[in-house]
């Protein structure tokens, strides 16, 4: 799930390996390092990678006559994401930089991009005073560019610093995000979901740690990042008629306060105000709600189930309902149902049910005492078999766990120990 963000760091380490040969090439006035290796690099690691599907973006290139590409921030199977300078903003528009998502030219990816654009228009076209609107990232601009092999849809967004899960990685020796950080940003998450569900009639369907993004604490962080990239552009690899650049996704350690996060990535979102419940597969399989697995129809409450499991991963780096027997890697829906039964109720495959040590209490080692009790009670309001019994995002905002000050186990060391929550 996190490979696209970890990959840039791995690639930077690989550059120091003597098996790679690096030469310097001239492109305009910029000196760019070109990596020569037969090994897959960056998005080339995607399953069924097709170079003809990706747009051949280059650092310094100008898209749509106004977006100058500064550096590649990341990649996925269907797109690359770049930091770009907006060179022709109107005076009253204060976004000088954007995160520019350049999608592949394949029909499925283009359909998802258009869906994300439609959902963004739906969410932000109507006037509203709902407090959750400010915690949802919208599409600022969209346009199409012609590549050698077809048309690519480009979506411009507000640039954001890093995904929420990365705070755990930066805090010390573990991937666990401290409980006080989670409790500090959960109101913004719940307000954004309530805005989606109650005001916009939208179901996200793909909540995970990557899609809760931390904003920049200071505009100077972005300015300094841009100066570093211009002084030392990312190396690239030329192959199959296309440059593949190293991602530069790190903006350094967070130095300011963490008051909120923004909900992003609506490429799989759907409308909830439909006559009949949706019934197609959604969500990463480890997060899938029972009504989705059972094909009995799902609605807004599927997002709430999803959030409950994401919290376990963020707080304890624990995949609560992994669908895997300990010591084995193979995923099984039967095993996952059995895990649900052990935690929530009865199952027709008793031989698969984990033993009595598999409990919510034993699955929450990162918390202690009353803090653990309150969190489990909070999570139980999200993890119920019956979707109608799940609390809404608005109802969860008043949960006692969010207002508690409790104990948790130490999770390493680092700047988060001194982070102030607003």
């Amino acid at each position: 799930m996190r490979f696209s963000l970890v990959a840039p760091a791995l690639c930077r380490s690989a550059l120091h390996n003597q098996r790679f040969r690096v030469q310097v090439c001239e492109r305009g006035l910029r000196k760019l390092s070109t990596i020569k290796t037969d090994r897959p690099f960056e998005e080339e690691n995607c399953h069924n990678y097709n170079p003809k599907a990706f747009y051949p973006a280059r650092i310094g290139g100008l898209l749509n006559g106004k977006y100058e590409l500064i550096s590649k921030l990341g990649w996925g199977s269907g797109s690359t994401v770049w930091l770009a300078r907006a060179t022709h903003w109107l005076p009253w528009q204060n976004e000088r930089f954007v995160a520019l998502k350049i999608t592949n030219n394949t029909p499925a990816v283009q359909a998802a991009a258009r869906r994300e654009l439609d959902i963004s228009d739906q969410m932000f076209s109507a006037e509203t005073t709902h407090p959750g609107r400010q915690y949802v990232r919208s599409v600022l601009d969209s346009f199409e560019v012609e590549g050698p092999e077809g048309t690519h849809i480009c979506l411009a967004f507000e640039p954001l610093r890093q995904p929420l899960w990365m705070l755990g990685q930066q805090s010390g020796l573990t991937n666990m995000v401290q409980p006080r950080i989670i409790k500090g940003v959960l109101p913004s998450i719940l307000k954004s979901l309530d805005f989606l569900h109650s005001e916009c009639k939208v179901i996200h369907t793909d909540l995970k740690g990557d899609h809760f993004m931390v904003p920049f604490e200071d505009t100077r962080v972005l300015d300094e990042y841009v100066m570093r990239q211009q002084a030392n552009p990312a190396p690239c690899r030329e192959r199959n008629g296309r440059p593949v650049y190293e991602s530069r996704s790190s903006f350094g350690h967070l130095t300011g306060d963490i008051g909120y996060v923004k909900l992003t990535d609506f490429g799989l979102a759907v409308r909830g105000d439909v006559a009949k419940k949706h019934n197609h597969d959604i969500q990463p399989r480890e997060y899938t709600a029972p009504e989705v697995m059972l094909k009995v129809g799902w609605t807004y409450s599927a997002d709430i189930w999803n959030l409950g499991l994401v919290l376990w991963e963020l707080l304890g780096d624990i995949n609560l309902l992994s669908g895997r027997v300990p010591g084995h890697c193979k995923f099984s829906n039967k095993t996952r149902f059995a895990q649900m039964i052990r935690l929530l109720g009865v199952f027709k495959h008793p031989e698969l049910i984990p033993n009595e040590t598999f409990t919510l209490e034993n699955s929450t080692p990162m918390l202690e005492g009353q803090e653990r009790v309150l969190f489990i009670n909070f999570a139980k309001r999200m993890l119920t078999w019956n979707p109608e019994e799940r609390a809404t995002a608005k109802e969860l905002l008043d949960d006692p766990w969010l207002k508690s000050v409790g104990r948790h186990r130490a999770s390493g060391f680092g700047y988060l120990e001194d982070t102030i929550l607003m």
Side-chain angles (χ1 to χ4, degrees):
M1 179 179 71
R2 298 171 180 170
F3 179 75
S4 63
L5 286 159
V6 174
L10 295 177
C11 291
R12 282 193 292 275
S13 298
L15 290 176
H16 299 290
N17 194 311
Q18 293 183 355
R19 287 175 293 178
F20 290 83
R21 293 191 294 116
V22 180
Q23 67 184 36
V24 175
C25 64
E26 296 279 353
R27 187 168 303 283
L29 297 176
R30 299 171 183 268
K31 287 189 176 181
L32 303 179
S33 298
T34 300
I35 298 173
K36 291 199 171 184
T37 174
D38 292 331
R39 294 189 177 189
F41 181 60
E42 293 277 302
E43 57 264 29
E44 293 176 334
N45 287 286
C46 293
H47 180 62
N48 293 330
Y49 169 73
N50 178 5
K52 293 182 179 181
F54 285 84
Y55 181 76
R58 292 185 182 274
I59 289 177
L62 193 66
L63 297 188
N64 201 35
K66 66 177 179 180
Y67 294 110
E68 179 192 1
L69 300 183
I70 304 293
S71 67
K72 190 171 79 175
L73 297 175
W75 53 271
S77 60
S79 66
T80 55
V81 180
W82 297 73
L83 182 70
R85 178 186 286 108
T87 59
H88 286 85
W89 282 108
L90 296 173
W92 58 85
Q93 295 178 308
N94 59 8
E95 290 87 355
R96 292 190 300 122
F97 298 102
V98 298
L100 195 62
K101 182 178 183 180
I102 307 175
T103 65
N104 290 4
N105 57 20
T106 58
V109 172
Q110 298 233 329
R114 291 191 176 93
R115 181 164 53 250
E116 182 160 16
L117 183 57
D118 290 343
I119 290 291
S120 181
D121 289 343
Q122 179 182 341
M123 292 189 297
F124 290 90
S125 60
E127 292 187 7
T128 180
T129 59
H130 194 288
R133 179 175 179 170
Q134 64 186 310
Y135 304 124
V136 176
R137 184 166 75 168
S138 65
V139 178
L140 300 175
D141 191 14
S142 64
F143 57 92
E144 295 182 353
V145 293
E146 288 298 323
E149 303 292 338
T151 302
H152 302 259
I153 297 174
C154 300
L155 305 178
F157 300 93
E158 169 195 0
L160 296 171
R161 195 184 214 289
Q162 63 191 52
L164 179 58
W165 66 262
M166 196 175 286
L167 293 179
Q169 190 179 77
Q170 292 173 338
S171 69
L173 301 176
T174 74
N175 290 326
M176 296 186 288
V177 183
Q178 292 184 17
R180 60 191 180 89
I181 301 294
I182 296 297
K183 285 193 280 188
V185 301
L186 254 178
S188 63
I189 293 174
L190 293 172
K191 288 174 184 177
S192 68
L193 285 177
D194 185 58
F195 171 64
L196 256 63
H197 296 168
S198 64
E199 289 272 324
C200 307
K201 308 303 179 186
V202 167
I203 310 169
H204 190 283
T205 79
D206 191 29
L207 298 179
K208 49 189 176 184
D210 289 327
H211 295 167
F212 299 119
M213 294 289 290
V214 177
F216 287 98
E217 66 273 31
D218 193 307
T219 57
R220 289 176 295 183
V221 175
L222 201 50
D223 292 334
E224 291 170 1
Y225 170 87
V226 171
M227 291 176 63
R228 291 195 301 272
Q229 302 314 307
Q230 291 177 329
N232 179 30
C236 71
R237 166 182 174 166
E238 296 270 356
R239 195 165 72 168
N240 298 312
R242 175 178 179 268
V244 179
Y245 286 86
E246 177 194 57
S247 295
R248 296 278 181 86
S249 60
S250 174
F251 295 93
H253 273 311
L254 187 69
T255 57
D257 301 338
I258 307 169
Y260 63 94
V261 293
K262 287 199 171 186
L263 180 58
T264 68
D265 291 79
F266 292 86
L268 297 176
V270 298
R271 297 187 65 121
D273 55 346
V274 291
K276 187 177 180 181
K277 287 184 178 181
H278 295 283
N279 203 26
H280 62 275
D281 290 335
I282 57 169
Q283 303 169 320
R285 59 185 182 181
E286 290 86 354
Y287 298 157
T288 304
E291 63 269 25
V292 177
M293 297 177 71
L294 292 170
K295 296 287 187 181
V296 294
W298 51 265
T299 184
Y300 305 103
S301 52
D303 278 347
I304 302 301
W305 171 279
N306 197 160
L307 177 61
L309 295 178
V310 170
L311 289 180
W312 240 283
E313 184 173 352
L314 291 171
L315 281 167
D317 199 24
I318 293 171
N319 189 343
L320 184 64
L321 299 173
S322 65
R324 297 174 177 86
V325 176
H328 296 79
C329 296
K330 187 177 179 180
F331 176 88
S332 162
N333 275 327
K334 284 185 177 181
T335 300
R336 190 166 185 270
F337 263 119
Q339 291 171 337
M340 290 183 191
I341 295 302
R342 171 57 68 189
L343 299 179
L344 306 174
V346 183
F347 191 50
K348 65 178 182 180
H349 293 278
E351 73 280 4
L352 294 175
I353 297 176
N355 64 39
E356 52 277 358
T357 63
F358 184 66
T359 64
L360 291 176
E361 288 74 14
N362 291 339
S363 299
T364 319
M366 61 284 189
L367 302 178
E368 297 179 336
Q370 189 65 10
E371 174 88 343
R372 178 188 294 177
V373 173
L374 289 175
F375 170 71
I376 290 174
N377 289 339
F378 176 70
K380 282 181 176 178
R381 299 178 67 188
M382 294 182 273
L383 302 178
T384 66
W385 281 112
N386 189 347
E388 285 73 25
E389 293 178 0
R390 285 176 213 149
T392 64
K394 188 174 183 179
E395 290 169 344
L396 290 168
L397 274 167
D398 292 325
D399 193 88
W401 182 66
L402 290 179
K403 302 173 184 177
S404 67
V405 178
R407 296 180 59 194
H408 65 278
R409 297 184 188 279
S411 58
F413 56 88
Y415 74 97
L416 286 182
E417 296 294 333
D418 299 318
T419 299
I420 301 171
L421 295 176
M422 301 174 65

